[in-house]
């Protein structure tokens, strides 16, 4: 008689692990709220002053308010990309955001700007090229919002890069919130198709 206790326990353990990963993969909502409210924290702990950009807050008096939330956000991107194989691009976005934190705009401006451009442009590319289940027009609205934000930064003196980045963060947040809602027909990446294996009958 075959002993099925060990395989059954192993199977049950694997199922629980996969269920935990499925729940853990819903970090998009947490990530979205970080993207939305980090700028609020920055201005609140900097006497409500609006600086030229989010990166300008790296030397604020309580600069942990700059580094800690953005580090958590970067780690959430990386973890999300690791847990969700279809979202592997999030790992690269997390690395780009990490570059923004490690290299400030005064001491390593070139690397800092390159990392920031990679992060925001990468998110725009993800929204347009990798999202599934929505009309093309809907995705164009996302990109138009980011383009308008950057355009307003170039045209209007009062619309600093801080507001452009915040608006871009808000659009990124909407993207991840939609991706996390199962009842919304929106996916950040196509779902893998099941593989059917047929066995040949041997006579």
């Amino acid at each position: 008689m075959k002993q099925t206790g060990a395989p059954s326990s192993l199977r049950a353990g694997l199922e629980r692990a996969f269920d935990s990963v499925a729940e853990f993969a819903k970090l998009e909502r947490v990530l979205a709220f970080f993207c939305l409210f980090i700028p609020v924290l920055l201005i609140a702990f900097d006497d409500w002053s609006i600086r030229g950009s989010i990166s300008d807050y790296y030397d604020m008096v309580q600069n942990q308010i700059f580094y800690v939330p953005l580090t958590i956000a970067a780690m959430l991107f990386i973890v999300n990309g690791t847990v969700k194989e279809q979202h592997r691009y999030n790992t690269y976005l997390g690395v780009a955001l990490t570059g923004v934190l490690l290299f400030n705009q005064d001491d390593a401006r070139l690397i800092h700007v390159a990392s920031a451009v990679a992060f925001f442009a990468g998110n725009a590319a993800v929204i347009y090229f990798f999202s599934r289940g929505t009309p093309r027009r809907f995705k164009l609205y996302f990109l138009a919002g980011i383009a308008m934000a950057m355009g307003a930064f170039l045209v209007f003196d009062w619309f600093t890069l801080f507001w452009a980045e915040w608006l871009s963060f808000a659009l990124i947040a909407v993207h991840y919130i939609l991706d996390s809602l199962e009842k919304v027909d929106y996916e950040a990446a196509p779902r893998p198709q099941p593989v059917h294996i047929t066995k040949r009958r041997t006579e």
Side-chain angles (χ1 to χ4, degrees):
M1 183 175 180
K2 294 182 179 179
Q3 295 181 353
T4 58
S8 298
S9 300
L10 178 60
R11 189 181 306 111
L14 288 174
E15 289 176 354
R16 286 195 298 270
F18 282 122
D19 289 340
S20 299
V21 168
E23 292 298 322
F24 191 58
K26 293 181 180 179
L27 287 172
E28 286 95 345
R29 297 179 195 179
V30 179
L31 187 56
F33 283 111
F34 264 94
C35 291
L36 278 175
F37 294 112
I38 284 175
V40 178
L41 288 174
L42 293 175
I43 61 177
F45 283 87
D46 197 45
D47 296 327
W48 299 101
S49 62
I50 307 298
R51 300 195 182 191
S53 68
I54 290 177
S55 298
D56 284 340
Y57 289 87
Y58 85 93
D59 61 351
M60 61 190 292
V61 175
Q62 295 176 291
N63 63 355
Q64 68 270 20
I65 303 301
F66 172 82
Y67 283 106
V68 173
L70 285 174
T71 299
I72 294 174
M75 291 302 100
L76 286 172
F77 271 101
I78 293 173
V79 170
N80 182 273
T82 304
V83 172
K84 282 192 171 182
E85 293 185 0
Q86 292 289 330
H87 294 189
R88 192 174 300 172
Y89 46 75
N90 277 345
T91 300
Y92 305 120
L93 295 176
V95 171
L97 186 55
T98 302
V100 172
L101 295 169
L102 291 178
F103 304 97
N104 68 68
Q105 61 181 4
D106 292 330
D107 298 327
R109 184 170 182 79
L110 183 61
I111 301 177
H112 177 87
V113 172
S115 299
V117 170
F119 175 74
F120 286 109
N123 272 288
V126 165
I127 291 171
Y128 185 79
F129 292 107
F130 291 95
S131 60
R132 300 289 188 272
T134 53
R136 183 170 177 267
R137 181 177 60 183
F138 185 72
K139 292 188 287 186
L140 289 175
Y141 289 153
F142 278 104
L143 299 185
I146 295 176
M148 289 174 62
M150 295 305 169
F153 161 68
L154 296 173
V155 174
F156 303 108
D157 293 333
W158 61 269
F159 196 88
T160 63
L161 188 58
F162 174 85
W163 297 111
E165 290 174 335
W166 195 351
L167 180 57
S168 298
F169 266 129
L171 293 172
I172 293 168
V174 171
H175 161 74
Y176 284 106
I177 289 173
L178 289 177
D179 186 41
S180 70
L181 297 175
E182 296 179 355
K183 295 183 180 180
V184 177
D185 189 19
Y186 181 94
E187 294 177 64
R191 290 177 181 153
Q193 297 298 320
V195 178
H196 298 284
I197 301 175
T198 57
K199 295 183 179 180
R200 291 183 178 179
R201 292 182 60 185
T202 56
E203 296 182 358

